Structure formats: structure tokens, C-alpha cells
Amino acid sequence: MTHSTRIVGALALLLLTGCSSAEEEQVTQLRPLTVKEQVSSIRKSGGGYVVSWAGVLANGNPWHFGEHVVATVVAKNAQGKEVARLQQSLDAVPPAGSLSFTGQVVAVEKPTQVSIEYRPAQWRQAGRIVSAFESFPVSDVLTERKDGSYLVTGYVGTPYRLPADSLAVTALLRDKNGKLLGGGSAFVDDVRTGKKQRFIMNIENVADTGKIAGAEVVASTWGSSSRPYEELALGGLAPIHTAKPTTAPFAKDRGRQGMPPGDARP
């Protein structure tokens, strides 16, 4: 190995080390996901007890997705014995955005306390600016209070050119003061431009449905990584006006009016 070769090798090593250190420093500076709100409930059902939960995670980082987040839900009885445990993989949390989620597990013995812990997110830098990640429009939401349950129906569309293979739809139920009471989730497939998909949720995890004032419904890409959302954003937004005009064209183009005489403006 010549002297010049050793110098080139050393410089390359320094550059690689510098890049690695910069990336590690950037990751350590990212803020962790925060729990904006969460609630859990216990309901007797058949031969067991259904433990349900709902929550909202917020991502305060404007350029990174929070990926591969796992919620560990543990239910214990009055003696402190663990009677149910579930590890729930959550969908990716978009940059400067939030994730609404719900879940449930069945316990044979009656639980008296429920705890939820979250594994730290893995961070991936977004390939587009935040404004490129448009939300999925939810429309025609109808709710109906039933005996022991709350029915939520509606439609989900997409603002993107590419079809969304699968979307997670989450309904958060709130009281008149906005307090989170519970919620439910459903999935819709093959959402395309101009083709909305219907969702139906019959939510049974709120003990007193009379306290429910309304449902907040949001849709997100399904999957623990940012890939589905990234692919949709890279495909671009669909045109706003996709229908052809129904009126006949003008018989004669009215053209532009000429400038008044003596007006010498450029």
C-alpha cells in the first residue's frame, strides 16, 4: 500500500465516521412520541371479560415517520395477578401528525386495572414535505345509539392518484366536553379516486352510551412502516376536477378586450 493510498483510505474512513455520527446525533435529537390521550374499559361478555382501549399518539417531529411502535397492554385482577396481555403493533405515525388507535383483548378472570406501555418508535426520514401527506377524507358519517352499543357508519375516500390497498378507519367516541370515552376500528380496501368505500363499526366498549355526544372518525394507512403512505404521496394527488363539463361551449370565443388608447403600460 502506497502512502497516497493510505491517505485516501483514512480520509474515506473519516468521512464515513462523520456521516454516521451526524445521523446518530440527528436521531438522538428527535422527540419521542407522546400520548395525547388514552382510555380503557372492562366489560363482561359471555364467559369472559373484554378489555378495550383507545388512544392518540402524537409525533412532534416535522420530517420523520415514527415506525414499528408496539403497545403492550396488561390487565391485572384485584390481587395484582396478570390475567391478560397483548402486544399490539400500531400503524406508522406521520411527520407532525398523530395516530388514533383502538384495540381489545379477552380475559377469563375479571381485571380491575389496565396499563398500556409503548415501545419507542424507529425513525425514518420522510421522502416528501409534510404538506404532501394529505389526509384521507371521511364523509357521510352517521351515528346511532343502541342498547349497549354505538353504531358508526360512513365513507372513506382518497386524495391520491394511486389506489390505497388498505386503510384503517378509527372512530373515537367523546362526551359533550370532548373527553375520550372509547372507540372502535375497521378496515377498508381498494380505495380509489372517485370511488369511496363504506365502513361500519358497532362499538360496545362504552358502559353508558348516553354520555356519548359524537364520534371523531379518521383514516390512516395500514401498516407499521411508512412505505404505504410514502408510495401514495410519491404518486401525486389526483386532479380536483375529474368530471367533464356538461354545458355546451360558447359559439364564439369572446377573446380578450384590447387596452384603452394611450395606455402605454407594459
Side-chain angles (χ1 to χ4, degrees):
M1 181 183 293
T2 65
H3 179 66
S4 59
T5 304
R6 287 196 296 268
I7 292 177
V8 171
L11 288 174
L13 181 60
L14 286 172
L15 287 173
L16 289 173
T17 305
C19 292
S20 177
S21 300
E23 291 176 356
E24 291 176 358
E25 182 180 358
Q26 184 183 38
V27 171
T28 56
Q29 290 177 349
L30 294 174
R31 289 177 285 179
L33 297 176
T34 58
V35 183
K36 289 183 62 176
E37 53 186 339
Q38 69 180 28
V39 67
S40 62
S41 62
I42 301 169
R43 177 177 57 88
K44 182 74 170 69
S45 177
Y49 297 85
V50 179
V51 180
S52 305
W53 57 90
V56 180
L57 293 180
N59 181 3
N61 302 293
W63 302 105
H64 289 76
F65 277 91
E67 298 184 327
H68 305 295
V69 182
V70 177
T72 301
V73 183
V74 178
K76 297 181 179 180
N77 62 15
Q79 290 73 41
K81 176 187 175 183
E82 185 177 301
V83 295
R85 172 184 287 265
L86 178 70
Q87 288 191 329
Q88 180 185 13
S89 296
L90 302 181
D91 299 327
V93 190
S98 62
L99 173 71
S100 301
F101 65 94
T102 67
Q104 66 179 33
V105 66
V106 178
V108 178
E109 299 181 38
K110 182 179 180 179
T112 58
Q113 55 180 316
V114 180
S115 63
I116 307 176
E117 296 182 353
Y118 302 91
R119 187 172 71 189
Q122 297 179 23
W123 299 105
R124 178 181 292 275
Q125 186 168 348
R128 302 292 299 275
I129 59 176
V130 176
S131 60
F133 299 100
E134 291 277 350
S135 59
F136 299 92
V138 177
S139 59
D140 302 320
V141 176
L142 297 176
T143 61
E144 181 181 352
R145 186 177 288 104
K146 295 187 173 184
D147 184 18
S149 67
Y150 197 79
L151 183 67
V152 182
T153 63
Y155 291 86
V156 178
T158 178
Y160 300 103
R161 292 178 180 271
L162 298 177
D165 294 333
S166 186
L167 297 179
V169 186
T170 301
L172 299 180
L173 307 182
R174 302 183 182 277
D175 65 12
K176 62 180 181 180
N177 297 318
K179 180 182 178 182
L180 182 61
L181 300 176
S185 298
F187 296 92
V188 293
D189 299 323
D190 193 29
V191 184
R192 298 172 178 266
T193 304
K195 180 185 176 183
K196 297 186 291 186
Q197 296 287 15
R198 189 167 186 250
F199 64 85
I200 302 175
M201 285 177 266
N202 191 39
I203 305 171
E204 301 178 329
N205 53 35
V206 177
D208 186 0
T209 57
K211 294 182 178 179
I212 302 174
E216 174 191 334
V217 184
V218 294
S220 61
T221 53
W222 178 77
S224 59
S225 77
S226 61
R227 181 178 178 181
Y229 215 164
E230 292 270 21
E231 289 180 345
L232 291 174
L234 288 173
L237 298 176
I240 299 176
H241 303 291
T242 56
K244 294 182 178 180
T246 56
T247 57
F250 291 113
K252 180 181 180 181
D253 189 354
R254 292 177 294 181
R256 296 180 60 188
Q257 293 181 350
M259 298 296 292
D263 193 333
R265 287 177 296 178

